[in-house]
Amino acid sequence: MAEPLRIAISGLGTVGTGVIRLLETNRDMVERRAGRAIEVVAVNARERHKDRGVDLAPYAWVDDMQAMATRADVDVVVELVGGSDGPALTLARAALDAGKGFVTANKAMVAHHGMELAELAAIKQAAFAFEAAVAGGIPVVKGLREGTAANALTRIYGILNGTCNYILSEMERTGADFDAMLREAQEKGYAEADPEFDIEGVDAAHKLAILAAIGFGTRIDFEGVRTAGITTVRASDIAQADALGYVVRLVGVATLEDRADGSHRLLQRVRPCLVPFRHPLAAVTGPTNAVVAEGDFAGRLLFQGAGAGDKPTASAVVADLIDIARGQVGAPFSVPVGQLEACVEADPGERVGRDYIRFTVADRPGVLAEITAAMRDADVSIESLIQRGRDRDGGEVQVAMVTHEGPERCVTKALALLEGSPSLTAPPLAMPILKD
Ligand SMILES: NC(=O)c1ccc[n+]([C@@H]2O[C@H](COP(=O)([O-])OP(=O)(O)OC[C@H]3O[C@@H](n4cnc5c(N)ncnc54)[C@H](OP(=O)(O)O)[C@@H]3O)[C@@H](O)[C@H]2O)c1
């Protein structure tokens, strides 16, 4: 059997200790599949003496990231610290610069610095892998990079944040409002104490930017992801959607459009959407993730599973290590980094589709006429309109509508016409209806 693959692990929290446990539990099987043993040589975290429930005695403890990255007895550095910059990035740069393989679960860092790290990996001919950075245990990075490599993908979309999906599907199940379900998600450990990155859609945007780059062969453009979170979704929106045949999910959608000159335009968006009951994403509940990729030859593919947790995420990290041990190291973003296309952003106003729009309005005559006049003036055609009864104090009512198919710019124009109207007592919420 070949020499072992020697690894250093930085970060011994949920995922780091999960990787150590997996390598202990499945040691023989991993060795058979990798063709050689995978041995932990060195580890670090912030607090050396914390009880982590795993035996760290056999491994060297190395406080300094630079020293960790350059140890002569380490082949691959595994970063499980987190954060887009700071120690994780220092470690990534140092490890790749030293020609070591580098494996990470850090979507924030890959979304922000993935191009730089891939360039460094290419120069140093070092492995750079991040299966665990997108959708935890679901092998979607490998699926897109290898399984669909023969396809032109035109759309990649999915439920990329388990916290939001838990909150929305629990709102749907219980009828409770957002704040109550966020508190419950925090109590059950599905949401961080500071949940902003999750509920504002930033975490999903990190993952979408990475998937788009791999699936389309384009340069990562995290700044280009148009992002809206779920904090404005009300229990009444979910009830309304249900009555119309939809569920509400936070969906990240990336589309690639062909241009006449052979170049492409990229549109990346994360926002709450209405998903038809019959669509496979509608059945995805709780903290589960799911990704759909549409290929010209493979058709529609669905990847679904646990998007987080120590075991699923460790499974993805070790899958990368097995690839490296086997010598199977391809371009991290499916084509060599120098050949990734820098895309112009597609105009979101050109998206043709149907939308759900909810207005909260003062309960007085003429308000509905004002809204429908704005729709008419902006060329938005209304398919159905539902006005809910007065709230308890009779002050405001909710008006929801579904539009006929049309360009998104018309809806944007209608909302602009109504901006500042004293009839609107809260900002309206528009959610697209996901196309099959
Ligand atoms: N948790 C998941 O389910 C999941 C899923 C997919 C991807 N990820 C990604 O995996 C990474 C790790 O997540 P996690 O949930 O395992 O985080 P975590 O439980 O908070 O663990 C982070 C670890 O990093 C260590 N650390 C923090 N700052 C450090 C520093 N300056 N130097 C050395 N070590 C430092 C911490 O040390 P101490 O323990 O001593 O404080 C801790 O062991 C993140 O990038 C995350 O986005 C996580």
Side-chain angles (χ1 to χ4, degrees), residues 355-359 371 374-375 378 380 401 408-421 424 427-431:
D355 290 273
Y356 164 95
I357 312 171
R358 177 254 295 155
F359 297 95
I371 291 174
M375 294 292 151
V380 177
M401 62 180 66
E408 187 172 322
R409 86 179 93 77
C410 297
V411 171
T412 308
K413 182 178 170 190
L415 296 182
L417 289 173
L418 289 164
E419 202 172 311
S421 163
L424 269 51
L429 172 67
M431 295 191 275

Side-chain angles (χ1 to χ4, degrees), residues 10-16 44-47 50 52 65 79-83 87 105-107 132-133 136 307-310 313:
S10 181
L12 298 168
T14 305
V15 185
N44 82 8
R46 257 181 316 216
E47 282 181 54
K50 197 190 238 181
R52 301 172 190 277
M65 289 297 194
E79 182 276 311
L80 302 168
V81 172
N106 188 335
K107 51 235 153 190
D310 57 340
T313 314

